Amino acid sequence: MAIIIDPQTGGIAGNMIIGALVDLGADENKLKEIMEYAASGFGKVEVSFEKIVKKGISSTYCHVEMVEKSPVFHFNEFIEKIESLDLDKKIIEMSVRIFKRIAIAESKVHGSSLEKVHFHEVGASDAVADVIGAVYAYFDLNLDSHEIIGLPMALGGGRVKTAHGILPVPAPAVVEILKGANCLGGPVDSELATPTGSAIYMEFCNTLEEFLPSISPLAIGYGAGMKDFDFPNVLRIIKTEEIGEGDQVDVIETNIDHLTGEEIGYLFDKLLEEGARDVSVTPIIMKKNRQGSLLKVISKREVREHIIDVMFKEIGTLGIRIAPNTHRGIAKREFVKKEVEVANETFEVTFKVGYFNNQIISKRPEFEDIKKIAEKTNLPLKEVNSIVSDKYD
């Protein structure tokens, strides 16, 4: 199961996240109670939910109205009040992480220490209601047990009036919070991504993707934004049964003609230990008919530079080729342990099971388990592999 958060058109705000999660089945009555309780120590708010239509899209609007003006709280005092709330520990812990994201961004933008940051910019009571509400709905729907994928964020454009004067959109704190995310300018001259919504998004998402992966949608929730545009100002959240995974990798290559077989074997193992996803070595004919090898390494982007550094140090090569952003399709896979009887003895075997469209497409026993059984029973490896493979239920 996976959850897709899609802010590509309407951007994101805390109340939009809550609205979309209510649309997916979160308990709005309990949410109202929790949100108003959590905000009460910072300033009274009133929360209501309404089904509305945004340019043809039926969505849920979560309205958080500040009834009393919030006092100014500095970071440490603010966090102490959050931690004192009578709520589940996991809700408190995730909420504190979200507020810390906002505080760190604000401190960097304003050149201040974390302790001196205050929350006047986001409005303490409504920010508390938004964050606590979103986190409560997250656990109410058991999203902590799902993979959560974030699609690119629409930021809007133009300028916005703040406590610090007129600032460009996206606001500096939003840019800080969304470091590492995929972002889009526009499509309107208006602010679409708030600091609170951006921080919740970054905390919720396990993976950030440029495009929607291969999915089989089960339910879709829409959370409405306050503003009206010539497009649906909604946040879409999709609950899906995964039928495949998208992956983006870099392919790193170099030619080798000066290493022995033993040295290449060492390099092969070393690159896997250092984080390479896959390594292959292919015999080739090089210039002047020299025999050599093509070393090809598949690497995730975050460890690419480290892998390249290892290759330069271990090989002494003068050149490395990189094919970045290569997309590969991956069948969903899991490791399943089963007890299998071979030669009147019972062994635990780990199977690597691959799925596509909820159907098993492969079920291979791990080689090390097959090897141990062959050594213990004195049966040929090939025969053990056949026996074990046939006994997977």
Side-chain angles (χ1 to χ4, degrees), residues 132-383:
I132 298 291
V135 174
Y136 176 85
Y138 170 92
F139 287 109
D140 186 42
L141 295 175
N142 298 314
L143 300 193
D144 53 321
S145 63
H146 300 329
E147 175 76 7
I148 300 186
I149 300 169
L151 297 183
M153 177 79 67
L155 301 176
R159 297 179 297 171
V160 63
K161 186 176 181 181
T162 75
H164 304 285
I166 302 296
L167 295 175
V169 172
V174 170
V175 178
E176 282 290 333
I177 292 167
L178 291 176
K179 279 182 176 178
N182 300 312
C183 300
L184 306 167
V188 290
D189 183 356
S190 182
E191 182 182 36
L192 295 183
T194 69
T196 302
S198 299
I200 297 170
Y201 168 88
M202 293 298 286
E203 183 65 32
F204 278 9
C205 293
N206 309 116
T207 308
L208 301 174
E209 298 286 355
E210 187 175 357
F211 300 108
L212 194 71
S214 178
I215 61 171
S216 179
L218 297 175
I220 300 97
Y222 294 94
M226 179 179 65
K227 300 174 184 176
D228 290 314
F229 303 115
D230 60 358
F231 59 85
N233 182 24
V234 296
L235 171 72
R236 178 170 64 173
I237 299 183
I238 304 170
K239 183 179 181 180
T240 173
E241 192 77 48
E242 284 183 286
I243 61 172
E245 300 178 13
D247 199 9
Q248 196 173 67
V249 295
D250 294 332
V251 178
I252 309 166
E253 296 180 345
T254 190
N255 294 346
I256 302 172
D257 65 354
H258 62 288
L259 298 183
T260 66
E262 290 86 353
E263 290 170 332
I264 291 176
Y266 169 80
L267 177 63
F268 188 102
D269 293 337
K270 175 74 172 176
L271 289 169
L272 289 173
E273 290 172 3
E274 295 294 333
R277 299 300 293 270
D278 199 3
V279 181
S280 63
V281 180
T282 306
I284 59 173
I285 301 297
M286 302 173 62
K287 288 188 298 183
K288 300 180 182 179
N289 294 322
R290 296 198 313 273
Q291 290 187 337
S293 301
L294 171 63
L295 173 67
K296 182 179 289 187
V297 182
I298 296 177
S299 167
K300 295 291 285 184
R301 181 180 300 177
E302 56 264 27
V303 297
R304 180 185 67 190
E305 296 305 318
H306 175 65
I307 293 295
I308 291 172
D309 186 56
V310 171
M311 290 172 67
F312 273 121
K313 289 178 179 177
E314 294 290 343
I315 303 171
T317 182
L318 299 179
I320 291 176
R321 299 180 295 277
I322 305 170
N325 303 333
T326 300
H327 294 269
R328 61 175 183 171
I330 305 176
K332 185 178 178 182
R333 78 286 304 267
E334 65 178 346
F335 292 93
V336 178
K337 292 184 181 295
K338 287 185 174 290
E339 289 190 345
V340 176
E341 186 176 305
V342 181
N344 297 320
E345 291 191 61
T346 301
F347 301 91
E348 186 177 73
V349 177
T350 299
F351 290 84
K352 187 175 184 180
V353 185
Y355 298 87
F356 186 78
N357 199 17
N358 295 323
Q359 307 244 340
I360 293 177
I361 58 173
S362 67
K363 45 184 189 297
R364 300 189 187 98
E366 290 290 274
F367 174 77
E368 290 301 322
D369 291 344
I370 296 297
K371 178 182 174 183
K372 289 176 183 177
I373 296 173
E375 292 172 346
K376 184 79 181 290
T377 61
N378 204 29
L379 292 172
L381 183 72
K382 184 176 180 181
E383 183 179 342

